[in-house]
Amino acid sequence: MSSAAQTTDPAAAAAAAQAAAAAMLQFTIEAWTLLSIGILVTMLRTYARIKAVGIRGLQADDYLVWLGVTFYAVETSLAYSVGAVAQGLANNGMTDEQRATLSPDSQEYKTRIVGSKIQIAGWSSYSVLLWSLKASLLVFYMRLTAGLKRSYLLRIYIGFGLLVASFITILMNLFLACRPFHRYWQINPDPGNTCQPAISNQIIWVYLSMNVITDLYLISIPVPMLWQSSLKPVKKFGLIILFSGGLFVVACAILRCALIVTDPVNGAQLAGSWAVRETFVAVITTNLPMVFPLIKIWLSPIFGSLLTTMRSQQKLTDKESRSDLRTFGGGSHQSWRRRGPPTANPITNITFNESEERMVEDVKMQDLKGWTDSSTNGSVPASNNIRKHVEVAVVSEARDERDPPDNLRHVVGDEENQHHGNFAFARGPRRSSYTGQSRT
């Protein structure tokens, strides 16, 4: 029996070592791949911002995201060291007997001390990373709500105060919870759960509560504003989902804490693995609002024609669109001034390309006036029927075969049209000047 045990124990140990090596390799590939994607997304965000405002136009949030990515690289390196250097060990997951028999001169003893110190450094980098990303979002919200009611700016100021208070709370909890500080890597006697940084309930729950509170507050700033806006439902819900990315960070944080608490033996390894995944989601969701317009521009040549066709079909079946089609440029002398009152919560400085809301540059279709011919003093003959395509492109123009006037007709050019409030893309086809001759 004992000989069998002796023959099976080495095999079990070898199998366990092989499984640990495979898990480490898988985590290494995952961690560095996620870091590469996070850096790439941040670079795209910076490229989009420089392309839009130039290098001198970069704001504080553009630098804060790079601070976050820097500590993301530090955190990934520390998480890798948990397995590669500390072999997933720390001062947790040991019985009192094991602690008493473990020699301070042994390699495992030293490895557990190093692993515990790595955990402290990991929590510190995790703090700076997440809170710098949260601060960058608040700075971005200040630009997003520029020109709106003062209540929105007040919410952002409250958010900054909440970030500062929560950041001080988590750091004081991390560095003052276990006193004296060196007990964080004490092996024998047992320092207690609070002084085991890999699985400390006090550290875990304080971080989780502050993380969830701040993320939910950050989401509460843009979502109500978008919900009350006059955007179309599809765009409205799309933007709400885009700015609610913090919910994914909250979900990852909750899952991470649950796994650590339920598996205290492998808590050190789980803490490093899920910290990398959680912060990756935070980096992506923070940069996505800036990167999305750039990706949309790149993909528009591929999907542009398909989307235009779908939008045209949708507009043709929409009652309001049909009403606008009859009144815009028609002979009834009606215009697009029948639109409703402006929303109480306008959206300003949105960087997304709203092709259905805007025609050329920043000219909104709702602000356009029907085209009038200045040669008739702003009046359009009742017989002139101009049929417009849904994309505001003139399809045809039916004119009576009446004799033109003998005098030289005046053609309204682009500059004069714009002077009268009309735009080239909102009028009928060009007509060349001619001298009328009577016909029999």
Side-chain angles (χ1 to χ4, degrees), residues 223-274:
V223 169
M225 177 178 61
L226 292 170
W227 182 261
Q228 299 173 9
S229 68
S230 59
L231 294 174
K232 295 185 178 181
V234 175
K235 292 181 180 179
K236 180 184 297 186
F237 287 109
L239 291 175
I240 289 176
I241 293 175
L242 188 65
F243 284 96
S244 300
L247 294 177
F248 296 100
V249 181
V250 171
C252 290
I254 294 175
L255 181 59
R256 174 195 182 192
C257 293
L259 290 174
I260 295 174
V261 170
T262 56
D263 191 359
V265 176
N266 300 315
Q269 190 70 38
L270 289 173
S273 301
W274 280 97

Side-chain angles (χ1 to χ4, degrees), residues 274-388:
W274 280 97
V276 170
R277 295 164 186 153
E278 177 187 350
T279 50
F280 168 75
V281 175
V283 169
I284 297 300
T285 54
T286 301
N287 290 314
L288 194 57
M290 296 295 184
V291 177
F292 181 78
L294 183 64
I295 297 177
K296 188 176 181 181
I297 292 175
W298 287 348
L299 295 181
S300 59
I302 301 176
F303 301 100
S305 59
L306 177 61
L307 292 176
T308 300
T309 303
M310 295 175 62
R311 289 170 180 171
S312 299
Q313 294 176 353
Q314 181 181 2
K315 288 183 179 180
L316 288 174
T317 57
D318 184 75
K319 181 178 180 180
E320 182 180 356
S321 297
R322 291 199 305 269
S323 175
D324 292 338
L325 185 63
R326 290 194 301 268
T327 59
F328 182 75
S332 60
H333 304 285
Q334 296 179 357
S335 69
W336 283 28
R337 295 178 180 177
R338 296 192 303 171
R339 65 183 185 273
T343 175
N345 298 276
I347 305 298
T348 61
N349 295 336
I350 290 291
T351 58
F352 306 107
N353 180 22
E354 301 184 13
S355 58
E356 296 179 357
E357 298 291 337
R358 301 179 181 181
M359 290 294 294
V360 175
E361 296 179 350
D362 292 330
V363 181
K364 293 186 178 180
M365 294 180 64
Q366 292 87 337
D367 296 332
L368 297 180
K369 299 179 181 179
W371 172 77
T372 58
D373 193 343
S374 61
S375 63
T376 57
N377 297 326
S379 62
V380 181
S383 60
N384 289 350
N385 295 322
I386 300 177
R387 181 165 55 88
K388 299 286 185 178

